[in-house]
Amino acid sequence: MFADRVLSGMRPTGAMHLGHYHGVLKNWARLQEEHPCLFFVADWHALTTHYEETQRISADGVDMVIDWLASGVDPNKATIFIQSRVPQHAELFLLLAMATPLGWLERVPTYKDQQQKLSDRDLSTYGFLGYPLMQAADILVYRSTLVPVGEDQVPHIEMTREIARRFNHVFGAEPDFEAKAKAAARKLGGDAKRFEELRTQYQQEGNTEALMRARSIVNAAAQLGVEDRERLFGYSEGAHRVILPEPAALLTKVSRMPGLDGQRMAKSYKNTIALREEPESVTKKIRTMPTDPARVRRTDPGEPERCPVWPLHQVYSDEPTQQWVQTGCHTAGIGCLECKQPVIDAIVRELAPMRERVQRFLDQPALVQDIVADGCDKARAMAEETMHEVRAAMGLVPAR
Ligand code: TRP
Ligand code: SF4
Protein backbone atom coordinates (compact mmCIF):
# COMPACT_ATOMS: atom_id res chain seq x y z
CA MET A 1 0.00 0.00 0.00
CA PHE A 2 2.81 2.39 0.76
CA ALA A 3 4.81 1.31 -2.22
CA ASP A 4 6.38 4.38 -3.78
CA ARG A 5 3.96 6.75 -5.40
CA VAL A 6 5.12 9.97 -7.06
CA LEU A 7 3.04 13.13 -6.96
CA SER A 8 3.69 16.62 -8.22
CA GLY A 9 1.60 19.63 -9.08
CA MET A 10 1.99 22.84 -11.03
CA ARG A 11 0.00 26.02 -10.96
CA PRO A 12 -1.95 26.65 -14.18
CA THR A 13 0.43 28.98 -15.99
CA GLY A 14 -0.67 28.19 -19.55
CA ALA A 15 1.59 27.07 -22.38
CA MET A 16 4.94 25.70 -21.23
CA HIS A 17 8.41 26.72 -22.40
CA LEU A 18 11.80 25.03 -22.64
CA GLY A 19 12.57 25.99 -19.04
CA HIS A 20 9.64 23.87 -17.86
CA TYR A 21 10.68 21.07 -20.17
CA HIS A 22 14.30 20.85 -19.04
CA GLY A 23 13.59 21.69 -15.42
CA VAL A 24 10.51 19.58 -14.72
CA LEU A 25 8.68 17.81 -17.53
CA LYS A 26 11.56 15.70 -18.83
CA ASN A 27 11.95 14.46 -15.28
CA TRP A 28 8.25 13.61 -14.96
CA ALA A 29 8.37 11.65 -18.22
CA ARG A 30 11.28 9.65 -16.82
CA LEU A 31 9.66 9.05 -13.43
CA GLN A 32 6.50 7.63 -15.00
CA GLU A 33 8.63 4.76 -16.30
CA GLU A 34 9.80 3.93 -12.79
CA HIS A 35 6.84 4.52 -10.45
CA PRO A 36 3.13 5.10 -10.38
CA CYS A 37 2.84 8.86 -10.88
CA LEU A 38 0.21 11.52 -10.30
CA PHE A 39 0.59 14.93 -11.93
CA PHE A 40 -1.98 17.62 -11.37
CA VAL A 41 -3.00 21.17 -12.16
CA ALA A 42 -2.90 23.06 -8.85
CA ASP A 43 -5.73 25.43 -9.71
CA TRP A 44 -6.76 26.10 -6.11
CA HIS A 45 -3.17 27.10 -5.44
CA ALA A 46 -3.47 29.80 -8.09
CA LEU A 47 -6.28 31.32 -6.03
CA THR A 48 -4.10 31.62 -2.94
CA THR A 49 -2.19 34.46 -4.58
CA HIS A 50 -4.48 35.56 -7.44
CA TYR A 51 -8.06 35.20 -6.23
CA GLU A 52 -9.18 38.25 -8.19
CA GLU A 53 -7.70 37.06 -11.51
CA THR A 54 -9.63 33.96 -12.36
CA GLN A 55 -10.69 34.37 -15.99
CA ARG A 56 -7.89 32.21 -17.38
CA ILE A 57 -7.42 29.57 -14.68
CA SER A 58 -9.33 26.85 -16.48
CA ALA A 59 -8.02 27.57 -19.99
CA ASP A 60 -4.45 27.91 -18.71
CA GLY A 61 -4.79 24.54 -17.00
CA VAL A 62 -5.82 22.88 -20.25
CA ASP A 63 -3.00 24.56 -22.21
CA MET A 64 -0.56 23.40 -19.59
CA VAL A 65 -1.80 19.81 -19.73
CA ILE A 66 -1.50 19.82 -23.52
CA ASP A 67 2.16 20.73 -23.16
CA TRP A 68 2.70 18.04 -20.51
CA LEU A 69 1.39 15.57 -23.06
CA ALA A 70 3.59 17.15 -25.71
CA SER A 71 6.60 16.60 -23.45
CA GLY A 72 5.93 12.89 -23.25
CA VAL A 73 3.93 12.67 -20.05
CA ASP A 74 1.79 9.67 -20.93
CA PRO A 75 -1.78 9.32 -19.62
CA ASN A 76 -1.45 5.55 -19.91
CA LYS A 77 1.38 5.64 -17.41
CA ALA A 78 0.69 8.66 -15.21
CA THR A 79 -2.56 9.97 -13.75
CA ILE A 80 -3.16 13.53 -14.96
CA PHE A 81 -5.86 15.50 -13.17
CA ILE A 82 -7.09 18.84 -11.89
CA GLN A 83 -7.02 19.56 -8.18
CA SER A 84 -10.40 21.27 -7.93
CA ARG A 85 -12.12 18.24 -9.44
CA VAL A 86 -11.00 16.04 -6.56
CA PRO A 87 -12.82 17.47 -3.53
CA GLN A 88 -11.02 15.05 -1.22
CA HIS A 89 -8.06 17.47 -1.30
CA ALA A 90 -10.28 20.07 0.33
CA GLU A 91 -11.68 17.66 2.86
CA LEU A 92 -8.25 16.55 4.01
CA PHE A 93 -7.07 20.17 4.06
CA LEU A 94 -9.94 20.99 6.40
CA LEU A 95 -9.38 18.01 8.68
CA LEU A 96 -5.63 18.56 8.90
CA ALA A 97 -6.26 22.22 9.71
CA MET A 98 -7.85 21.22 13.01
CA ALA A 99 -4.56 20.03 14.46
CA THR A 100 -2.09 22.29 12.66
CA PRO A 101 -0.46 24.93 14.86
CA LEU A 102 -0.61 28.40 13.34
CA GLY A 103 3.08 28.83 14.09
CA TRP A 104 4.01 26.04 11.67
CA LEU A 105 2.39 27.97 8.83
CA GLU A 106 3.74 31.35 9.84
CA ARG A 107 7.26 29.90 9.97
CA VAL A 108 7.22 28.55 6.39
CA PRO A 109 9.92 30.70 4.71
CA THR A 110 7.83 31.46 1.62
CA TYR A 111 5.13 33.05 3.77
CA LYS A 112 7.01 36.20 4.75
CA ASP A 113 9.24 36.13 1.63
CA GLN A 114 6.34 36.19 -0.78
CA GLN A 115 4.48 38.82 1.20
CA GLN A 116 7.54 41.04 0.81
CA LYS A 117 8.33 40.16 -2.82
CA LEU A 118 4.74 40.35 -4.07
CA SER A 119 3.91 43.49 -2.15
CA ASP A 120 1.44 44.56 -4.85
CA ARG A 121 -0.75 41.54 -4.05
CA ASP A 122 -3.16 40.97 -1.21
CA LEU A 123 -1.45 38.14 0.64
CA SER A 124 -2.91 38.78 4.05
CA THR A 125 -5.57 36.12 3.51
CA TYR A 126 -6.37 32.93 5.33
CA GLY A 127 -5.95 31.08 2.02
CA PHE A 128 -2.42 32.30 1.50
CA LEU A 129 -1.36 31.39 5.02
CA GLY A 130 -2.92 27.97 4.60
CA TYR A 131 -1.41 27.24 1.21
CA PRO A 132 1.42 24.97 2.44
CA LEU A 133 -1.16 22.96 4.36
CA MET A 134 -3.20 22.60 1.19
CA GLN A 135 -0.02 21.30 -0.45
CA ALA A 136 0.40 18.84 2.41
CA ALA A 137 -3.16 17.64 1.79
CA ASP A 138 -2.39 17.28 -1.96
CA ILE A 139 0.46 14.97 -1.12
CA LEU A 140 -1.00 13.02 1.79
CA VAL A 141 -4.42 12.39 0.24
CA TYR A 142 -2.68 9.95 -2.14
CA ARG A 143 -0.23 8.70 0.49
CA SER A 144 2.46 9.81 -1.95
CA THR A 145 5.97 8.95 -0.89
CA LEU A 146 8.05 10.84 -3.47
CA VAL A 147 7.49 14.45 -4.41
CA PRO A 148 9.63 15.88 -7.22
CA VAL A 149 10.03 19.58 -6.47
CA GLY A 150 12.52 22.40 -6.73
CA GLU A 151 14.68 23.61 -3.88
CA ASP A 152 12.21 26.36 -2.92
CA GLN A 153 9.55 23.78 -2.10
CA VAL A 154 11.61 21.71 0.32
CA PRO A 155 10.31 23.49 3.45
CA HIS A 156 6.78 22.59 2.34
CA ILE A 157 7.69 18.91 2.12
CA GLU A 158 9.34 19.14 5.53
CA MET A 159 6.16 20.58 6.96
CA THR A 160 4.13 17.87 5.25
CA ARG A 161 6.24 15.29 7.07
CA GLU A 162 5.54 16.97 10.38
CA ILE A 163 1.83 17.11 9.63
CA ALA A 164 1.80 13.39 8.80
CA ARG A 165 3.82 12.49 11.90
CA ARG A 166 1.50 14.47 14.10
CA PHE A 167 -1.59 13.00 12.49
CA ASN A 168 -0.36 9.45 12.99
CA HIS A 169 0.62 10.19 16.54
CA VAL A 170 -2.69 11.75 17.49
CA PHE A 171 -5.09 9.67 15.42
CA GLY A 172 -3.17 6.44 14.91
CA ALA A 173 -3.07 5.57 18.59
CA GLU A 174 -5.03 2.52 19.68
CA PRO A 175 -5.43 1.29 23.26
CA ASP A 176 -4.52 -2.30 22.34
CA PHE A 177 -2.05 -1.38 19.60
CA GLU A 178 0.72 -3.70 20.73
CA ALA A 179 -1.50 -6.79 20.81
CA LYS A 180 -3.06 -5.96 17.45
CA ALA A 181 0.32 -5.30 15.85
CA LYS A 182 1.68 -8.61 17.16
CA ALA A 183 -1.35 -10.42 15.76
CA ALA A 184 -0.78 -8.70 12.43
CA ALA A 185 2.89 -9.70 12.48
CA ARG A 186 1.92 -13.34 12.91
CA LYS A 187 -0.02 -13.08 9.65
CA LEU A 188 3.28 -12.52 7.87
CA GLY A 189 3.80 -16.27 8.19
CA GLY A 190 7.31 -17.26 7.11
CA ASP A 191 8.44 -13.61 7.15
CA ALA A 192 7.23 -12.93 10.70
CA LYS A 193 10.53 -13.77 12.40
CA ARG A 194 12.58 -11.74 9.92
CA PHE A 195 10.21 -8.80 10.37
CA GLU A 196 10.69 -8.94 14.16
CA GLU A 197 14.49 -9.00 13.76
CA LEU A 198 14.47 -6.02 11.42
CA ARG A 199 12.14 -4.11 13.73
CA THR A 200 14.49 -4.72 16.65
CA GLN A 201 17.49 -3.64 14.57
CA TYR A 202 15.79 -0.38 13.75
CA GLN A 203 14.46 0.36 17.20
CA GLN A 204 17.62 -0.60 19.07
CA GLU A 205 20.30 0.55 16.63
CA GLY A 206 18.47 3.08 14.51
CA ASN A 207 19.34 1.03 11.45
CA THR A 208 17.21 2.70 8.77
CA GLU A 209 18.22 0.09 6.21
CA ALA A 210 16.50 -2.47 8.46
CA LEU A 211 13.41 -0.26 8.63
CA MET A 212 13.26 -0.15 4.84
CA ARG A 213 13.53 -3.94 4.66
CA ALA A 214 10.83 -4.38 7.29
CA ARG A 215 8.60 -2.11 5.23
CA SER A 216 9.20 -4.01 2.05
CA ILE A 217 8.18 -7.24 3.80
CA VAL A 218 4.91 -5.57 4.78
CA ASN A 219 4.48 -4.17 1.29
CA ALA A 220 4.94 -7.59 -0.26
CA ALA A 221 2.42 -9.30 2.05
CA ALA A 222 -0.69 -9.36 -0.12
CA GLN A 223 -2.70 -11.20 2.53
CA LEU A 224 -2.75 -8.24 4.95
CA GLY A 225 -5.73 -5.93 5.32
CA VAL A 226 -5.33 -2.15 5.26
CA GLU A 227 -5.39 -1.68 9.01
CA ASP A 228 -2.94 -4.47 9.71
CA ARG A 229 -0.60 -2.90 7.21
CA GLU A 230 -0.85 0.46 8.92
CA ARG A 231 -0.21 -1.22 12.27
CA LEU A 232 2.87 -3.00 10.98
CA PHE A 233 4.27 0.13 9.38
CA GLY A 234 3.73 1.90 12.67
CA TYR A 235 4.93 -1.04 14.73
CA SER A 236 8.26 -1.16 12.91
CA GLU A 237 9.08 2.38 14.02
CA GLY A 238 6.91 3.26 17.00
CA ALA A 239 3.67 2.61 18.81
CA HIS A 240 0.90 3.77 16.53
CA ARG A 241 -0.55 3.10 13.11
CA VAL A 242 0.88 4.95 10.14
CA ILE A 243 -2.20 6.21 8.35
CA LEU A 244 -0.41 8.92 6.41
CA PRO A 245 3.16 8.01 5.41
CA GLU A 246 5.80 10.73 5.46
CA PRO A 247 6.81 11.75 1.93
CA ALA A 248 10.31 12.62 0.75
CA ALA A 249 11.28 15.44 -1.58
CA LEU A 250 12.80 14.21 -4.84
CA LEU A 251 15.13 17.07 -5.61
CA THR A 252 15.40 17.55 -9.33
CA LYS A 253 18.97 18.52 -9.99
CA VAL A 254 18.78 22.17 -10.83
CA SER A 255 18.80 22.54 -14.56
CA ARG A 256 19.04 26.27 -15.05
CA MET A 257 17.74 26.46 -18.55
CA PRO A 258 19.21 29.67 -19.95
CA GLY A 259 16.84 32.08 -21.64
CA LEU A 260 17.37 34.29 -24.66
CA ASP A 261 19.12 36.97 -22.62
CA GLY A 262 21.46 34.90 -20.46
CA GLN A 263 19.16 34.97 -17.44
CA ARG A 264 17.29 31.81 -16.44
CA MET A 265 14.39 31.17 -18.79
CA ALA A 266 11.20 32.48 -17.20
CA LYS A 267 7.94 33.89 -18.48
CA SER A 268 8.31 37.03 -16.38
CA TYR A 269 11.65 37.81 -18.08
CA LYS A 270 10.07 37.49 -21.55
CA ASN A 271 13.06 35.42 -22.66
CA THR A 272 11.37 32.10 -23.41
CA ILE A 273 10.96 29.67 -26.24
CA ALA A 274 7.59 27.95 -26.06
CA LEU A 275 7.25 24.22 -26.61
CA ARG A 276 4.84 25.03 -29.44
CA GLU A 277 7.10 27.63 -31.03
CA GLU A 278 7.21 27.37 -34.82
CA PRO A 279 10.64 26.73 -36.41
CA GLU A 280 10.56 30.18 -38.10
CA SER A 281 9.98 31.83 -34.77
CA VAL A 282 12.72 29.82 -33.03
CA THR A 283 15.10 30.85 -35.80
CA LYS A 284 14.15 34.49 -35.50
CA LYS A 285 14.42 34.55 -31.72
CA ILE A 286 17.88 32.98 -31.70
CA ARG A 287 19.16 35.03 -34.62
CA THR A 288 18.21 38.25 -32.86
CA MET A 289 19.69 37.20 -29.52
CA PRO A 290 22.33 39.55 -28.14
CA THR A 291 25.92 38.28 -28.28
CA ASP A 292 29.22 39.36 -26.73
CA PRO A 293 29.02 43.18 -26.94
CA ALA A 294 32.76 43.22 -27.81
CA ARG A 295 32.01 41.69 -31.21
CA VAL A 296 30.84 44.83 -32.91
CA ARG A 297 32.24 43.86 -36.29
CA ARG A 298 32.53 40.39 -37.77
CA THR A 299 36.31 40.68 -37.49
CA ASP A 300 36.31 41.48 -33.75
CA PRO A 301 37.23 38.48 -31.60
CA GLY A 302 34.80 37.58 -28.82
CA GLU A 303 34.53 35.73 -25.53
CA PRO A 304 31.82 33.05 -25.18
CA GLU A 305 31.75 33.57 -21.40
CA ARG A 306 30.31 37.03 -22.04
CA CYS A 307 27.74 35.79 -24.56
CA PRO A 308 24.25 34.48 -23.78
CA VAL A 309 24.47 32.10 -26.75
CA TRP A 310 27.23 30.11 -25.07
CA PRO A 311 25.05 28.71 -22.24
CA LEU A 312 22.72 27.38 -24.93
CA HIS A 313 25.64 25.60 -26.59
CA GLN A 314 26.37 24.07 -23.20
CA VAL A 315 22.87 22.63 -23.13
CA TYR A 316 22.61 21.58 -26.76
CA SER A 317 26.04 21.12 -28.36
CA ASP A 318 28.46 18.22 -28.22
CA GLU A 319 32.11 18.60 -27.28
CA PRO A 320 33.50 19.18 -30.83
CA THR A 321 30.87 21.84 -31.54
CA GLN A 322 31.67 23.59 -28.27
CA GLN A 323 35.35 23.54 -29.23
CA TRP A 324 34.44 25.01 -32.61
CA VAL A 325 32.54 27.82 -30.87
CA GLN A 326 35.39 28.58 -28.45
CA THR A 327 38.07 28.71 -31.13
CA GLY A 328 35.90 30.39 -33.73
CA CYS A 329 34.77 33.08 -31.32
CA HIS A 330 38.21 33.82 -29.84
CA THR A 331 39.80 34.09 -33.29
CA ALA A 332 36.86 35.74 -35.07
CA GLY A 333 36.98 32.69 -37.31
CA ILE A 334 33.19 32.34 -37.27
CA GLY A 335 30.39 34.86 -37.35
CA CYS A 336 27.71 35.01 -34.68
CA LEU A 337 24.92 33.87 -37.00
CA GLU A 338 27.06 30.91 -38.00
CA CYS A 339 27.67 30.19 -34.34
CA LYS A 340 23.97 30.27 -33.53
CA GLN A 341 22.93 27.84 -36.26
CA PRO A 342 23.69 24.59 -34.37
CA VAL A 343 21.59 25.88 -31.44
CA ILE A 344 18.71 26.73 -33.76
CA ASP A 345 18.92 23.28 -35.34
CA ALA A 346 19.03 21.52 -31.99
CA ILE A 347 16.03 23.36 -30.58
CA VAL A 348 13.96 22.92 -33.74
CA ARG A 349 14.82 19.21 -33.64
CA GLU A 350 13.87 18.97 -29.97
CA LEU A 351 10.54 20.70 -30.49
CA ALA A 352 9.51 18.82 -33.64
CA PRO A 353 8.05 15.74 -31.91
CA MET A 354 6.30 17.98 -29.38
CA ARG A 355 4.61 20.06 -32.03
CA GLU A 356 3.54 16.87 -33.70
CA ARG A 357 1.97 15.49 -30.51
CA VAL A 358 0.28 18.80 -29.75
CA GLN A 359 -1.45 18.95 -33.14
CA ARG A 360 -3.78 16.05 -32.31
CA PHE A 361 -4.94 17.79 -29.16
CA LEU A 362 -5.47 21.12 -30.85
CA ASP A 363 -7.48 19.42 -33.60
CA GLN A 364 -9.57 17.43 -31.12
CA PRO A 365 -9.95 19.34 -27.86
CA ALA A 366 -12.27 16.59 -26.58
CA LEU A 367 -9.25 14.30 -26.39
CA VAL A 368 -7.65 16.35 -23.63
CA GLN A 369 -10.96 16.66 -21.82
CA ASP A 370 -11.27 12.87 -21.85
CA ILE A 371 -7.75 12.33 -20.59
CA VAL A 372 -8.29 14.76 -17.74
CA ALA A 373 -11.73 13.37 -16.86
CA ASP A 374 -10.29 9.89 -16.74
CA GLY A 375 -7.39 11.06 -14.59
CA CYS A 376 -9.76 12.84 -12.20
CA ASP A 377 -11.81 9.65 -11.80
CA LYS A 378 -8.71 7.64 -10.97
CA ALA A 379 -7.41 10.30 -8.59
CA ARG A 380 -10.74 10.51 -6.78
CA ALA A 381 -10.81 6.75 -6.25
CA MET A 382 -7.30 6.77 -4.75
CA ALA A 383 -8.01 9.81 -2.61
CA GLU A 384 -11.27 8.35 -1.37
CA GLU A 385 -9.44 5.28 -0.08
CA THR A 386 -7.22 7.44 2.06
CA MET A 387 -10.11 9.59 3.20
CA HIS A 388 -12.00 6.59 4.43
CA GLU A 389 -9.05 5.71 6.67
CA VAL A 390 -8.70 9.31 7.78
CA ARG A 391 -12.38 9.73 8.63
CA ALA A 392 -12.38 6.47 10.55
CA ALA A 393 -9.21 7.34 12.45
CA MET A 394 -10.75 10.67 13.43
CA GLY A 395 -13.92 8.99 14.62
CA LEU A 396 -16.14 10.52 11.95
CA VAL A 397 -17.25 7.17 10.54
CA PRO A 398 -17.04 3.67 12.00
CA ALA A 399 -13.90 1.74 11.08
CA ARG A 400 -14.36 -0.65 8.16
N1 TRP B 1 3.37 24.68 -4.49
C1 TRP B 1 3.86 24.15 -5.74
C2 TRP B 1 4.45 25.31 -6.54
O1 TRP B 1 4.06 26.45 -6.36
C3 TRP B 1 2.80 23.46 -6.53
C4 TRP B 1 2.18 22.36 -5.77
C5 TRP B 1 0.95 22.38 -5.20
C6 TRP B 1 2.76 21.10 -5.49
N2 TRP B 1 0.71 21.20 -4.56
C7 TRP B 1 1.79 20.41 -4.71
C8 TRP B 1 3.99 20.50 -5.78
C9 TRP B 1 2.05 19.13 -4.23
C10 TRP B 1 4.23 19.23 -5.29
C11 TRP B 1 3.27 18.55 -4.52
O2 TRP B 1 5.30 25.04 -7.37
FE1 SF4 C 1 28.53 34.52 -28.91
FE2 SF4 C 1 29.10 32.69 -30.73
FE3 SF4 C 1 29.12 35.28 -31.39
FE4 SF4 C 1 31.01 34.25 -29.79
S1 SF4 C 1 30.65 33.72 -31.93
S2 SF4 C 1 29.91 36.18 -29.48
S3 SF4 C 1 29.83 32.74 -28.65
S4 SF4 C 1 27.36 34.07 -30.75
Side-chain angles (χ1 to χ4, degrees):
M1 175 181 46
F2 295 159
D4 277 331
R5 199 181 256 179
V6 172
L7 170 123
S8 200
M10 223 190 265
R11 293 174 181 229
T13 49
M16 306 266 93
H17 53 64
L18 280 171
H20 296 115
Y21 178 67
H22 285 275
V24 180
L25 298 174
K26 225 168 44 176
N27 191 42
W28 286 7
R30 183 178 53 77
L31 283 166
Q32 74 188 355
E33 306 295 335
E34 297 164 12
H35 306 286
C37 288
L38 295 136
F39 300 123
F40 73 99
V41 178
D43 54 352
W44 281 338
H45 284 262
L47 295 173
T48 64
T49 51
H50 292 69
Y51 61 80
E52 77 289 32
E53 272 175 44
T54 58
Q55 327 71 261
R56 284 209 46 92
I57 291 187
S58 165
D60 278 348
V62 172
D63 263 346
M64 183 165 83
V65 168
I66 289 178
D67 283 352
W68 292 358
L69 298 168
S71 302
V73 176
D74 180 348
N76 294 314
K77 295 175 182 159
T79 306
I80 299 170
F81 67 98
I82 296 176
Q83 181 188 29
S84 65
R85 293 214 222 151
V86 186
Q88 285 83 355
H89 288 236
E91 184 184 0
L92 185 58
F93 177 35
L94 174 129
L95 294 177
L96 293 175
M98 303 304 168
T100 302
L102 269 182
W104 288 13
L105 293 167
E106 287 160 347
R107 272 199 301 276
V108 171
T110 44
Y111 183 57
K112 294 234 161 57
D113 276 12
Q114 296 277 78
Q115 282 190 330
Q116 275 163 13
K117 270 199 211 127
L118 308 176
S119 53
D120 58 320
R121 307 219 68 84
D122 173 17
L123 298 183
S124 54
T125 58
Y126 180 52
F128 182 67
L129 176 67
Y131 128 80
L133 185 63
M134 178 152 72
Q135 183 164 354
D138 298 338
I139 297 167
L140 297 174
V141 83
Y142 302 102
R143 310 203 215 208
S144 322
T145 52
L146 300 172
V147 187
V149 283
E151 198 100 49
D152 60 314
Q153 297 284 312
V154 170
H156 297 163
I157 310 303
E158 266 314 308
M159 198 195 75
T160 303
R161 294 168 61 84
E162 280 166 33
I163 300 270
R165 212 174 298 143
R166 185 180 181 109
F167 185 93
N168 296 327
H169 188 78
V170 175
F171 300 109
E174 298 179 292
D176 41 3
F177 177 79
E178 181 99 12
K180 283 184 174 160
K182 287 211 163 107
R186 278 194 295 278
K187 295 186 195 162
L188 291 171
D191 283 330
K193 186 153 165 281
R194 183 79 189 121
F195 175 80
E196 279 296 345
E197 285 165 7
L198 290 167
R199 173 177 179 265
T200 310
Q201 275 178 32
Y202 175 67
Q203 297 203 345
Q204 295 185 357
E205 300 150 36
N207 180 343
T208 50
E209 180 71 15
L211 176 64
M212 294 304 155
R213 291 221 201 97
R215 283 185 183 164
S216 56
I217 289 179
V218 178
N219 266 330
Q223 73 276 22
L224 290 178
V226 175
E227 290 178 348
D228 276 341
R229 247 167 233 265
E230 290 167 358
R231 287 188 187 105
L232 289 182
F233 275 113
Y235 188 52
S236 44
E237 53 184 299
H240 48 72
R241 289 161 58 196
V242 173
I243 299 158
L244 301 175
E246 291 177 36
L250 251 188
L251 264 190
T252 6
K253 57 172 173 3
V254 269
S255 111
R256 282 261 165 267
M257 177 68 197
L260 294 168
D261 56 359
Q263 301 189 78
R264 139 186 104 79
M265 188 178 283
K267 202 168 161 190
S268 56
Y269 297 155
K270 302 198 188 325
N271 63 357
T272 61
I273 291 179
L275 299 189
R276 299 182 210 171
E277 200 95 39
E278 312 262 345
E280 301 72 44
S281 174
V282 172
T283 307
K284 184 159 170 241
K285 280 186 171 180
I286 304 283
R287 286 175 77 99
T288 52
M289 266 182 80
T291 57
D292 177 1
R295 288 205 78 181
V296 183
R297 278 173 304 253
R298 165 70 178 77
T299 48
D300 296 330
E303 172 50 62
E305 293 302 329
R306 283 196 301 264
C307 174
V309 178
W310 174 240
L312 289 172
H313 274 294
Q314 289 177 301
V315 173
Y316 287 106
S317 298
D318 58 12
E319 201 41 48
T321 310
Q322 293 191 13
Q323 266 311 321
W324 169 79
V325 172
Q326 286 288 340
T327 315
C329 186
H330 287 143
T331 61
I334 57 173
C336 289
L337 288 179
E338 210 180 325
C339 174
K340 287 169 169 179
Q341 196 56 44
V343 171
I344 295 172
D345 294 341
I347 294 179
V348 167
R349 215 177 307 125
E350 179 168 59
L351 295 184
M354 298 194 211
R355 286 167 27 81
E356 201 177 299
R357 282 193 208 110
V358 157
Q359 202 50 51
R360 262 178 74 222
F361 301 118
L362 296 180
D363 294 344
Q364 299 164 263
L367 230 48
V368 185
Q369 298 300 344
D370 287 350
I371 287 170
V372 169
D374 179 56
C376 291
D377 286 345
K378 287 186 185 139
R380 266 190 303 268
M382 286 184 242
E384 184 54 23
E385 243 175 74
T386 309
M387 286 318 295
H388 184 86
E389 295 296 309
V390 166
R391 291 179 207 121
M394 294 181 84
L396 297 168
V397 299
R400 252 198 282 243

